[in-house]
Structures are given as C-alpha cells and as structure tokens.
Amino acid sequence: MARTTKEPREPRPTARGWPGPGGGTVGYVEPAPEWRGTSVQVCGLWPFGAGAGTPMVGVPLGRDLDSGATVCCDPVSWFTRTNLLANPSMFVLGRPGLGKSTAVRRMALGLSGYGVHPLIFGDLKPDYVDLIRAIGGQVISLGRGRGNLNVLDPGESVQAAARLTGDARHRLLADIHGRRLHMVSALVTILRTEPPTDREETILSAALNVLDDRHAEGRVPVLGDLVQVIKDAPEAVRSVALDRGDITRYRDITENLEASLTAMLGDGRLGGTFARPTTEAMKLDRPVCFDVSGIDDSEVLLQAAALLSCWSYGFGAVSTAHALADAGLEPQRNYFLVMDELWRVLQAGRGLVDRVNALTRLDRQRGVGLAMITHSIDDLLALPTAEDRTKAKGFVERAGMVICAGLPPAEMPQLGQVVELTEAEKRLLVDWSTPPAWDGTNSRRADPPGLGNFLIKVGSRPGIPLHVDLTAAELEINDTNKRWNK
C-alpha cells in the first residue's frame, strides 16, 4: 500500500496574533488610535469620522467620563446659543474639597474670553481672587480693618438716574430705594435671627425717603444718618409709626429698631463694616471680585452680612448698568454672577430666604448668568421654618441646570425630589463621595475618588458625567493651599 506524505500546513495568524516559534500572541486587542478635531478639520476623513454626543457649545469644561469627548458647558452659552436652558442660571452641589469652585472658575475664565464679565459677590476662602487679577479685573477687599461697604451707598445709580428720563428714571430710583430697604432689613434680620416687623419695615422705608431728601446733594448717607432720622422723629416717619400724636409712644415703637441699627455702627457684632463710607467703588466695565476672606470663620454673622451686602450692592450695580444700556447711554455688557457659600446666608436667620430671592430675581432677557453654590440639599432643608425650606428648594428647581459633585447616600432622597436622577446616576454621585484612601507609596492621603468629577443635569434629560482637568496655566490660580505650599 502506497504511503503518502502530508504536506505541512501553512501557518495562519489567529485573532490574537501569530502562533508558534518566532510568533507571539497578545492578551488584548489594541484599540485603533483616535484623534479629535472639529468637523472642518476631519471632514476629509469621512466615513471614518464620528460625531461626539456631547454639547460643543460654550466653555470647554472637561471630558466625558464615558466617551472621552470634550464637554462644553456654561449657563450663558447654553441659554443664548443652544436654547437648552429656560434661564441662564445653574445650581452647584457637592461635598467640600471635590472641586466645585474649580469648575465654576473654569466657566468664569472661559466666559471672560467670550466678553462676559465674571462678578464674584463674596469670596470667603479666597477661591477667585487670583483668577480675577489674572484677567485684569478689580478685587475689592472687605472686613475689619480691610475695607468698608456702605449698605446705603447706591453706587453710580444716582448719577445714572440723573441721565435717564421718564419711566426709566422712575424705575431706577424705585429699584435703589427697594434694594437699600431690603439690605437694611436683612442686616436687622441677621442681628436678631428673625425679620423686622411690618411696622418697622414701613418706618425704615419712610426714614430712607427723608434721608434722601436731606442728602439730595453732597455726601452719601451712612447708617448713622438713618438712625439720626429715626431719632429726630420727622412727621413723615411718625405718621407711618402710628404714634397717634404721642412722642412717647413713638419712642416706644421705634426703640427696638433704633437699638438694632445702633448695633451696626461700630461697637456691635458687625463692627461698623457696613456703616462707614464705601472704601472702593465697584467698576462695571471689567470682572470684579469682593474679597471677604479676611473675615474669620468664627464670625458667622459677619460673614453672612458681608455676603448679603456684596450681593445687594453688586446686583444693584448690574441693574444700573442695564438701565443705562437700555437707554442707549452705555454699551450692553453681559455678566456671569457667582454666589458662593449660599448656605451661610440662608441659615443666618429666619426670613433671609426672601431677601436672597428678592435680590436674585433678574430678568433672563437682561444678559446675566447666575451660579449659586452650596454643599448639599440638606443646607437648604436645615432652615427653621417649612416656608423657608420650600422657598430655598425653589432655588434649585428654578435653576436652568444643576451640576452635582460627589454627595452622600443620605442626600439622594432629598435631591431626587428636585432633580430627576436615575438609579445609575445616584450610584455615581455616591461613589464620587467615597472618602480618599491612604497612599502608602507616597505616605500621603490619596486624592478623593470624585475629585474633579461632575454630573450635569438639565431637566429630565440624561446627565452628562465629566471630569475637569486643569491646564498648566490654571494650576497657579487654582492653588487654594498657598500658605502651605510656600
């Protein structure tokens, strides 16, 4: 029987590479290289180009944690250029140390490049001072021995009103009066931890009108002048006090109010910071930061008063700028307003939610973007009355977008009541809040797992998870531990 010789088989590669001597297989399949570019740059590579599923309008904020694609996001651009938001505002939530202020700084830096001026109304740490200085802005320092902010100072509003006519002038003057009344009432609320009575607010309103008549020309009045008006008991104030023609009754009615105002004049808990002439006026043709980091954390009431005063003064200045722009007397300027550490003001006294709400109601057509920052929903639900808690939750519900960093598990039920979150999104936020581990190799604490990670939520749309990486140019202005790193 004839024997046949079987020819050797030609070697063939497997899915993992060439087998046998001289070959070699790999344990994984190396992914194809990817490059990113605009549609103009990669259009010639069709059909090998694939569009990203993330927004590409606005400030480049970070990279998508799922796809690695660039995520562009800011409330101003998403409102004006994409119609993704109902109003140009955002609420930022997250545990301390996870980068909330870093993300907002990135937006402020990018928007300044688009011609939108960042305005930081109260920087407690400070987180924004270096950024504002780096982009040529104005830094105003406030605090004991550092600078003063007269809460009765209308800034440039009075001069602006003189340039206006008709209804525009009347509206601006009414706005000046309303904001000063709100601010004085808010300071009284902080001192007492409860709001002034309706009668006391009416007396304050009448006294402010008398004060304006006395100081129609010349220097700007201060709180001491307002106290003097109440002491002088002019007829316009006595009539609203309902003293029935009895000066003794008038003294009794105004005694508590006079005592509260006197406590702000220098020797009280607020130290006169808001009762002396304004040290440095705010400029509206550039970025501005109110630096209140000189106020110690132990002075809780003074911190709350400083933040609220900065917000009131700043919002009033913005309203004045818009009134002049609407009249064609000044160029139209857009602003990005940052209100950090919101919880400090809301928890300083009953009724302050109403004060903040009154300050922040700017028309969406006025070219103002707003960012409110706090640690958690619990900050809003820790208020003393159910009415205040409901109104505070409204800040989150009305925001055009909500950006969340890592949050504890206990936060999820409350957050789910105001933001629509899937179970996967809730797990993601909880994972990001995990405490950092100990890095034995470098003998230091490792970075928190959620450092720089955020979830962008707009209405009921699926959230966009992203990570914010700092560029070399940003590292210097984002160093919040300078005193330890020198």
Side-chain angles (χ1 to χ4, degrees):
M1 185 174 181
R3 300 180 62 183
T4 60
T5 303
K6 190 175 181 180
E7 295 183 2
R9 295 180 58 185
E10 182 180 350
R12 295 179 180 276
T14 67
R16 299 287 183 177
W18 291 88
T25 59
V26 294
Y28 66 96
V29 178
E30 185 175 351
E34 296 181 13
W35 288 270
R36 299 183 55 77
T38 66
S39 57
V40 174
Q41 293 169 320
V42 303
C43 61
L45 299 178
W46 187 90
F48 305 106
T54 56
M56 296 297 290
V57 175
V59 176
L61 186 59
R63 54 181 174 82
D64 191 299
L65 287 175
D66 293 329
S67 66
T70 300
V71 178
C72 297
C73 174
D74 69 80
V76 175
S77 301
W78 278 23
F79 172 72
T80 58
R81 297 165 59 189
T82 67
N83 293 323
L84 287 173
L85 306 183
N87 61 83
S89 64
M90 70 176 186
F91 205 99
V92 184
L93 295 162
R95 299 188 68 171
L98 295 182
K100 298 187 301 298
S101 297
T102 298
V104 176
R105 277 195 299 268
R106 167 68 62 82
M107 290 186 186
L109 178 60
L111 285 171
S112 68
Y114 293 150
V116 179
H117 294 316
L119 302 179
I120 316 302
F121 291 157
D123 190 358
L124 283 167
K125 294 182 180 178
D127 282 334
Y128 303 89
V129 167
D130 290 342
L131 170 64
I132 297 302
R133 284 190 175 133
I135 58 179
Q138 177 189 23
V139 175
I140 301 174
S141 297
L142 299 176
R144 299 183 190 274
R146 293 174 178 265
N148 305 314
L149 180 60
N150 177 15
V151 294
L152 298 184
D153 187 356
E156 299 180 0
S157 300
V158 174
Q159 293 85 347
R163 300 171 62 187
L164 300 172
T165 58
D167 291 340
R169 183 174 187 274
H170 177 74
R171 286 194 299 269
L172 183 56
L173 290 174
D175 183 70
I176 295 171
H177 178 82
R179 289 187 182 278
R180 292 195 298 174
L181 175 60
H182 275 296
M183 193 57 241
V184 176
S185 298
L187 291 180
V188 172
T189 301
I190 290 174
L191 281 172
R192 298 179 178 178
T193 67
E194 62 180 13
T197 65
D198 293 341
R199 175 183 286 185
E200 288 176 329
E201 288 217 28
T202 305
I203 292 172
L204 283 174
S205 180
L208 284 170
N209 287 329
V210 173
L211 191 64
D212 288 338
D213 292 338
R214 290 185 178 182
H215 296 270
E217 300 290 340
R219 72 178 182 88
V220 177
V222 294
L223 275 177
D225 298 318
L226 181 62
V227 174
Q228 189 60 48
V229 168
I230 296 175
K231 287 181 177 179
D232 292 344
E235 184 58 34
V237 179
R238 291 185 62 180
S239 63
V240 298
L242 303 178
D243 66 353
R244 312 300 185 193
D246 185 348
I247 188 63
T248 302
R249 175 180 167 86
Y250 173 82
R251 301 296 182 198
D252 292 338
I253 292 171
T254 59
E255 181 178 5
N256 289 339
L257 179 60
E258 185 179 328
S260 296
L261 295 176
T262 302
M264 305 177 199
L265 300 185
D267 297 327
R269 284 177 288 180
L270 300 188
T273 303
F274 314 106
R276 300 188 181 101
T278 299
T279 306
E280 183 176 356
M282 174 180 170
K283 300 176 182 178
L284 280 169
D285 59 349
R286 66 197 67 187
V288 178
C289 175
F290 287 89
D291 179 13
V292 294
S293 61
I295 302 175
D296 192 82
D297 285 343
S298 63
E299 298 187 280
V300 177
L301 295 184
L302 182 56
Q303 281 187 341
L307 289 175
L308 201 59
S309 299
C310 293
W311 296 349
S312 178
Y313 183 83
F315 278 114
V318 170
S319 294
T320 299
H322 288 318
L324 293 174
D326 292 342
L329 299 175
E330 293 286 344
Q332 179 64 57
R333 297 186 178 97
N334 297 329
Y335 302 98
F336 179 52
L337 279 50
V338 178
M339 299 171 64
D340 209 341
E341 301 290 339
L342 184 65
W343 64 275
R344 293 182 185 269
V345 173
L346 297 182
Q347 295 183 12
R350 180 170 59 87
L352 282 173
V353 176
D354 290 325
R355 306 297 174 189
V356 175
N357 190 46
L359 288 175
T360 57
R361 288 208 177 261
L362 290 176
D363 294 339
R364 61 184 180 180
Q365 290 86 4
R366 290 200 167 189
V368 176
L370 178 63
M372 293 178 283
I373 309 171
T374 192
H375 294 152
S376 68
I377 292 290
D378 280 344
D379 293 339
L380 309 180
L381 299 182
L383 300 176
T385 67
E387 183 182 8
D388 280 353
R389 290 193 292 269
T390 301
K391 291 178 180 177
K393 285 171 60 178
F395 292 154
V396 186
E397 295 169 340
R398 291 196 305 271
M401 74 168 71
V402 178
I403 298 181
C404 299
L407 292 166
E411 185 83 1
M412 293 303 110
Q414 295 91 336
L415 182 60
Q417 294 177 10
V418 292
V419 181
E420 294 188 33
L421 294 171
T422 65
E423 291 301 319
E425 290 171 344
K426 292 179 182 178
R427 288 195 300 270
L428 192 64
L429 295 178
V430 171
D431 289 344
W432 290 346
S433 68
T434 304
W438 177 256
D439 184 352
T441 304
N442 298 313
S443 298
R444 61 183 293 273
R445 190 191 72 168
D447 290 332
L451 181 63
N453 292 343
F454 301 93
L455 182 70
I456 302 173
K457 289 291 295 185
V458 178
S460 59
R461 295 185 179 94
I464 303 174
L466 77 153
H467 180 79
V468 177
D469 286 311
L470 297 179
T471 64
E474 290 176 295
L475 289 174
E476 177 65 23
I477 62 174
N478 280 273
D479 184 2
T480 56
N481 295 314
K482 287 184 177 180
R483 292 188 181 274
W484 294 100
N485 296 335
K486 287 182 179 181

